[in-house]
Each structure stands twice: as C-alpha cells, then as structure tokens.
Amino acid sequence: MNRKRTVIIAALLILLSAGAYALRKFISRQAASGAGDFDSYGRPSGDAAPLRQAKLFQVRKAPFTDVVDGLIGTVKGDTIELAFGGQEEKLNSVHVSVGQKVDKGQILLELDHVRAESRKNQAEIALERAQRLQAVGGATLHDVKEAQAVLNVAQKDYEDTFIYSPKTGTISAIHKHVGETVGRSEVVVSLVSMEDKFYVETGVVEGQIDQVRSGQKAEIVIDSFAAHQIAGSVQGVSHEVSMTGRTGTVHISLPDYVQQKVRPGLSARCRIIVYSKNALVIPRKAYDDKKKGVMIVSEGNKTALKPVQLGYLTREFYEVASGLEGGEMIIADISSNPVEEGAEISAAGEPARYQGGSAE
C-alpha cells in the first residue's frame, strides 16, 4: 500500500515538473517572437504598460486682451452752477424746469427787482440832471462822471437780479423755489452745457483702478441708444477711492456722432480694455511657478521642462515674453496633472488653443 502511494506521488511530481517546463518554454518562444508582452516569469512586460494620458495645449499667437468689465455709468456733461450776484432778495420767477433744454442768453430765473429797478431809475434821473447843469455851467465834468458811476452800479445791481444761460444746455437742477430768499453767490440753478462734449462717468473698484489709464479704449452701451456699442476712450482717472463704494472715478469720452443724441442722466454700461496685444498665450495652469517654465511635449511624446519668461498676466492666461514658439505643444494643466520630465505621454483628445479669452 505504501509502495503504491509513493509511486503515485512520484508520478504527480514528474507531471508537474513537465508542465512547468513546457510553460516556461512556451513563454520563452512567445517573448522571442514578439507575440507576447510577458517577462520570463509570465508577468506583463514593463514596455507594454499603457502610456499616461494628458491634455495638451498648442501655443500660438492670438489677440490677447484684458478688460475691466461690468461697469455701470451715467452720461454727464460740464456742469455750470449759476448764482445771483446782487443783494439778498426773494426769488420772484423761475422760467425753466429740470431737464429743459435752454439756449444761450435765455432768462432762467429772476429775483424781486423792484428796489433795484427803483435805484436804477433814480440814478438815470440824477445823471440827466447833472448833464443839463453842466451844459449851463451849474455842474462840473466831475459831477457828471460821479453820476455816471452811480448809474453803472445801479444798472449792474438791476442786471444781477436776472440769471441768463451762459451756454446752450440742459437744466440739471433748480435749488430754490419761488418766494425763498436768495443770498449773494448762492447757487440756485445748475446747467449742463451742450456746447461742451458729453462723457460717461463710472466707478472702478480699488483693486482694478490702478490698471486704468487715460487713452485706453472703452466700449459703451447706452440703454436708450438701441443697445448700439459705442467706441470711447478714457479721458480721466481719479485714483482717490470713495469711502462708500471703494471705487475711483473714471471719465470716458463719447464720440462726436452721438453728442447730439444723448442727454445728461442716461444710464450706460461700459468695459475698459486695459491691455491688448497679439501675443503667444498659455494657460495659467500650464506654468510651473517653482520651476519657472512649462512642460513641452516633443515629437516622440516625451516631456521636457522649458524655461519661460512671462509678460502680461490675467487670472486665467499668461502672455509669453520669451521661451516658446508658435505651434509647440505643452501640458495644459500641470497643477492637477503633474508630469515628470522625460515621461512618455499620449494626448487626451485634441489639443486646446487660445481663443481670445478662453481655451477651446
């Protein structure tokens, strides 16, 4: 019985050894013929491991712009504040209303001028009397000149009870009502000149105001102007920010062809182009801040670090000042998909390209 068991065990061992030998010979022949991707121990060969995929970005020149967007403004003009220059009197008449267009020389307001007119009439009579007396030797030339000077003052006081429009424009505010007392040099009416050019006033937040400079191009849409985009330019910047909105004031000029079609107070939406250039552009995520470069992909699909000098920067894209050429392929996002230098990769889909504000 024991002898029979020993023979069976020996036979099984011989069969197992023969099987293992045959398997090794089969694997060796497959490896030699290239038909298999296994090593001599039957494990997948390292050369057969799948290539790592990565999204690529093709560098090329394109219009690269940066804008300060979402600005809300108001059409304004040069405001002229008008006041009476005479003595304190009650406001007698207001001949205009807010929003009314007025012509140069038109009477706008007048004070109670009964006393001023009376003084003027008395001065005229005194001058006539002095002139008659001088003619018969009863008064000197000095007396006549004094009477004339008194009349000049009375005439000026009378004229100061009226306010005339110094320019063609639009009444923007009236600060007094009929019957109220008005003092000398107290502003009573405001006029927006139509002889001077209208502009748009808007506010830019303090985080962006330093990017805005005079002469930069702007795009304006005035809501009541058929949503037509108007080309303007920055004509003035105040870097002193307000305490409430934390914004700096910016004035944007309006072209001549709209000057006669707009009026003060109209609402406008604006965007200011703070940078514009035809440049090589890369995604921000493609740039390695520590290594100061990008990972390019050569013809053999091997990666290599290439130093890059940057120009203008936005939140999403960087301008390439030097280091890259148009047509080169780079890893599009090394922040979330880090790739070692010298790695072999395959492209995950079509390469992205910069399309004026986005990568497509």
Side-chain angles (χ1 to χ4, degrees):
M1 186 68 179
N2 289 337
R3 179 180 176 85
K4 185 177 180 180
R5 183 182 300 167
T6 301
V7 171
I8 293 172
I9 292 172
L12 289 173
L13 289 175
I14 292 171
L15 287 174
L16 288 174
S17 297
Y21 176 77
L23 178 61
R24 289 177 64 86
K25 292 291 287 181
F26 172 76
I27 293 173
S28 298
R29 286 197 300 271
Q30 291 291 91
S33 64
D37 290 321
F38 304 91
D39 60 17
S40 58
Y41 294 96
R43 297 174 301 190
S45 171
D47 292 338
L51 295 179
R52 180 173 181 176
Q53 287 194 331
K55 187 66 177 177
L56 302 185
F57 181 89
Q58 186 178 38
V59 181
R60 66 173 185 172
K61 275 197 172 184
F64 183 46
T65 59
D66 190 20
V67 300
V68 175
D69 209 347
L71 304 177
I72 303 298
T74 306
V75 175
K76 292 191 174 184
D78 289 337
T79 300
I80 304 170
E81 296 183 331
L82 303 173
F84 290 104
Q87 299 298 320
E88 183 179 282
E89 292 285 359
K90 287 186 177 180
L91 184 61
N92 190 49
S93 299
V94 177
H95 300 287
V96 292
S97 57
V98 174
Q100 180 179 337
K101 181 180 177 181
V102 296
D103 297 321
K104 182 178 181 179
Q106 181 176 334
I107 294 178
L108 307 181
L109 300 90
E110 58 181 284
L111 294 175
D112 183 352
H113 44 70
V114 172
R115 286 184 292 182
E117 187 175 20
S118 176
R119 289 192 296 269
K120 180 177 74 70
N121 292 339
Q122 291 174 5
E124 288 174 346
I125 293 170
L127 176 61
E128 291 175 2
R129 181 172 180 275
Q131 290 172 336
R132 287 197 304 270
L133 289 173
Q134 183 196 19
V136 297
T140 65
L141 178 60
H142 177 72
D143 294 331
V144 174
K145 288 183 177 180
E146 279 191 344
Q148 182 66 61
V150 172
L151 176 59
N152 291 344
V153 172
Q155 181 69 38
K156 178 66 168 57
D157 288 344
Y158 175 75
E159 291 175 354
D160 284 344
T161 62
F162 298 88
I163 288 182
Y164 300 88
S165 178
K167 293 182 177 181
T168 299
T170 302
I171 301 298
S172 60
I174 298 173
H175 307 286
K176 287 287 186 178
H177 297 91
V178 172
E180 290 186 307
T181 300
V182 180
R184 181 192 292 270
S185 301
E186 185 177 357
V187 175
V188 290
V189 62
S190 299
L191 169 75
V192 177
S193 170
M194 296 181 66
E195 296 179 14
D196 303 303
K197 290 187 174 182
F198 292 112
Y199 59 89
V200 173
E201 181 177 287
T202 187
V204 177
V205 295
E206 60 181 333
Q208 295 178 304
I209 190 67
D210 288 338
Q211 295 178 269
V212 182
R213 298 185 301 276
S214 294
Q216 289 174 336
K217 294 180 180 180
E219 297 169 354
I220 309 155
V221 174
I222 298 175
D223 295 336
S224 61
F225 205 70
H228 173 68
Q229 184 171 289
I230 302 168
S233 63
V234 177
Q235 67 178 25
V237 182
S238 173
H239 292 274
E240 183 177 349
V241 298
S242 64
M243 295 300 295
T244 52
R246 305 302 298 172
T247 59
T249 301
V250 176
H251 287 177
I252 301 173
S253 65
L254 291 170
D256 292 338
Y257 76 91
V258 301
Q259 290 293 326
Q260 299 300 319
K261 301 177 183 179
V262 297
R263 65 180 187 276
L266 292 178
S267 177
R269 290 171 283 126
C270 320
R271 65 198 302 257
I272 300 171
I273 303 169
V274 296
Y275 189 79
S276 180
K277 184 180 179 182
N278 200 42
L280 294 175
V281 183
I282 61 173
R284 178 184 62 83
K285 294 180 179 180
Y287 183 76
D288 191 321
D289 286 319
K290 294 181 179 179
K291 298 179 180 179
K292 306 300 180 185
V294 299
M295 201 68 74
I296 65 168
V297 180
S298 63
E299 292 182 359
N301 292 331
K302 291 290 185 70
T303 59
L305 180 68
K306 196 168 187 180
V308 171
Q309 287 191 346
L310 302 177
Y312 190 87
L313 312 179
T314 68
R315 289 184 178 181
E316 298 296 330
F317 294 94
Y318 293 165
E319 176 192 0
V320 176
S322 64
L324 290 176
E325 296 181 0
E328 288 190 288
M329 295 288 184
I330 64 174
I331 303 296
D333 184 357
I334 59 173
S335 58
S336 61
N337 187 25
V339 177
E340 294 295 327
E341 188 172 8
E344 188 174 355
I345 60 98
S346 66
E350 289 295 319
R353 298 175 181 84
Y354 180 74
Q355 301 288 343
S358 63
E360 298 178 359

